[in-house]
Amino acid sequence: MRLFTLTAFGAMAMALGAAAADKWDMPMGYAASNFHSETGAEFAQCVTTGTGGELEIETHPGGSLFKGNEIYRAVRTGQTQIGERLMSAHQNDNILYGFDSIPFLATSFEDSEKLWQAAKPVLTKTMADEGLHLLYAVPWPPQGLYFKKEVNSVADMEGVKFRSYNSATARIAELAGMIPVQIEAAEISQAFATGVADSMISSGSTGYDRKVWESLTHFYEVDAWLPRNYVFVNMGSWNGLSDEIRNVVNGCAALAEYAGNARSRHYTQFTLSELARNGMSVGRASDQMTNELRGFGEIMTAEWLENAGAVGQEIVDSFRAMQ
C-alpha cells in the first residue's frame, strides 16, 4: 500500500546544486515486511529521489546493520548517520522517552496523537541536547497481551516468563508476578519457540510479523498504550546538509509520519484478524483482568510522574487539556 508519492520532490531535485553525493545508512530493528520498515524504506526513497541522488539513504531492516539496542548509540556516536528505534526503549537513559508507554494514559490513535503533540517539543529539545535531530515518529497499534494459555486474571499470570522491551513492560511483569526477560524484536520467534518466554505485551502487528501463533495461543485486547518508533539523525550529519536538502528531508519525514499513522490504523484490525485466522483466540480481556491492569496503570502513572518531575507533569497536563 503506497501512501505517499515522490512527485512533489522531483522538481526540487532540479534546483539542488551538483555537490558530491552523500550516502547514509539507516539501521532499523524490525523486519523488512513490518509497516514501520516499509514506511522507512519509502522515506529513504523519497529523500534519494527528492534530492536527485545528492543524499542517498539506504535502510537496513531486521537489525542487520546494528541490533535494535545498538541503534541509538550508533547514531549518537556517529557510527551511522540516521536510524529508527522504539522510543520507550531509551527510558532508562532519560525518563521522558517513556511518555508513550504510561499504561492507559492514551489508549486510542486519537489520544496517542494528542499525547505526541504534547510531548514533541520536549522530546525535540531533549534529543538536540543529546546530539540528535528528531525527524518523525509513528505509533504502533494498541498493545495487547499474548499468552500460551487462557488467562482471566492477574493471578493466572504468576510465574509466566514475559518478554520485556522497555522499563514499562518490565514493571508490568513485576507487578503481575511474572518473570521479565529482555528480548529484542528480531529475537521474538526464537524466544517463544525455545521457551525463553511464554508471553508478551505487544501489538497485533508484531504477532503477525513474527507468526507467534506457532508458539502462542491467546491474544487479549487491552489497549494499554500505543508506543512509537522514531527516526532520528546525528546532529553533526544533519548540520552538514545544505538548507535545500534539509527541506527535502523534512518534507519526506512529514509524509512518512502521515503514511505511518495510516498504515498503523489499517494494520490494527487486519493483524488481529490474521491472528485469529491462524488459530489464535483473539478477544477482549475479562473485566477482572482489565480492572487489575488499570490499577497497575495508576501505579505506573504516579511513578512516571514522580521520576519525570515538572517536565513530565507538563506533558501530561498539556495532553489532558486537549481532551
Side-chain angles (χ1 to χ4, degrees):
M1 181 174 57
R2 194 167 183 80
L3 295 173
F4 60 82
T5 65
L6 311 175
T7 307
F9 293 94
M12 190 176 296
M14 302 295 295
L16 298 176
D22 195 7
K23 180 178 179 181
W24 286 4
D25 290 305
M26 180 174 167
M28 310 180 78
Y30 294 85
S33 60
N34 182 270
F35 77 94
H36 283 291
S37 300
E38 291 177 346
T39 300
E42 288 191 355
F43 161 75
Q45 184 59 56
C46 178
V47 171
T48 302
T49 301
T51 63
E54 204 167 318
L55 174 59
E56 177 186 355
I57 298 179
E58 180 179 353
T59 60
H60 301 270
S64 58
L65 184 62
F66 291 98
K67 293 181 180 179
N69 59 0
E70 299 171 342
I71 293 173
Y72 172 78
R73 183 179 297 275
V75 177
R76 189 176 179 185
T77 59
Q79 292 176 270
T80 193
Q81 302 90 348
I82 185 172
E84 181 193 60
R85 180 63 168 145
L86 180 73
M87 184 171 288
S88 57
H90 303 141
Q91 185 170 340
N92 286 337
D93 297 306
N94 189 317
I95 189 69
L96 296 177
Y97 284 120
F99 80 95
D100 60 0
S101 296
I102 303 172
F104 301 105
L105 177 63
T107 60
S108 67
F109 281 101
E110 291 76 17
D111 280 351
S112 173
E113 180 60 25
K114 292 173 183 176
L115 181 58
W116 174 233
Q117 292 307 316
K120 187 174 181 179
V122 174
L123 267 295
T124 299
K125 182 181 183 305
T126 298
M127 293 180 66
D129 291 342
E130 296 176 354
L132 298 169
H133 175 72
L134 173 65
L135 283 179
Y136 70 88
V138 171
W140 286 90
Q143 303 290 282
L145 284 163
Y146 290 85
F147 286 97
K148 209 170 187 176
K149 62 177 183 177
E150 182 178 350
V151 173
N152 293 304
S153 68
V154 168
D156 295 335
M157 304 178 191
E158 182 74 30
V160 170
K161 289 177 286 187
F162 182 82
R163 178 239 171 177
S164 67
Y165 60 81
N166 61 14
S167 297
T169 52
R171 180 61 173 142
I172 284 177
E174 179 184 352
L175 289 169
M178 295 187 286
I179 303 168
V181 184
Q182 182 73 31
I183 299 169
E184 288 293 327
E187 302 164 351
I188 286 175
S189 299
Q190 182 180 4
F192 289 135
T194 58
V196 173
D198 298 315
S199 64
M200 68 175 175
I201 187 167
S202 194
S203 68
S205 175
T206 300
Y208 171 70
D209 287 344
R210 294 299 169 182
K211 300 180 179 180
V212 298
W213 53 80
E214 296 176 351
S215 302
L216 305 180
T217 57
H218 290 72
F219 178 84
Y220 294 98
E221 299 173 62
V222 296
D223 299 345
W225 64 78
L226 288 77
R228 286 178 177 264
N229 278 16
Y230 68 130
V231 172
F232 48 98
V233 179
N234 175 277
M235 189 65 78
S237 298
W238 179 251
N239 290 337
L241 299 176
S242 67
D243 289 342
E244 291 88 351
I245 290 181
R246 282 201 293 264
N247 286 339
V248 173
V249 175
N250 282 331
C252 291
L255 290 171
E257 185 161 298
Y258 177 85
N261 271 275
R263 276 194 171 101
S264 189
R265 288 172 180 266
H266 169 76
Y267 245 45
T268 299
Q269 191 54 53
F270 167 76
T271 54
L272 296 187
S273 297
E274 286 298 299
L275 295 179
R277 189 177 70 83
N278 283 280
M280 293 192 73
S281 172
V282 177
R284 304 299 305 183
S286 69
D287 289 343
Q288 179 179 347
M289 187 160 75
T290 298
N291 290 334
E292 290 172 332
L293 291 171
R294 286 188 176 275
F296 294 167
E298 293 175 5
I299 293 170
M300 292 174 63
T301 298
E303 291 174 344
W304 189 85
L305 287 172
E306 181 180 357
N307 291 323
V311 177
Q313 188 68 59
E314 179 184 340
I315 292 174
V316 173
D317 289 346
S318 177
F319 161 68
R320 287 175 172 162
M322 298 180 194
Q323 295 181 293

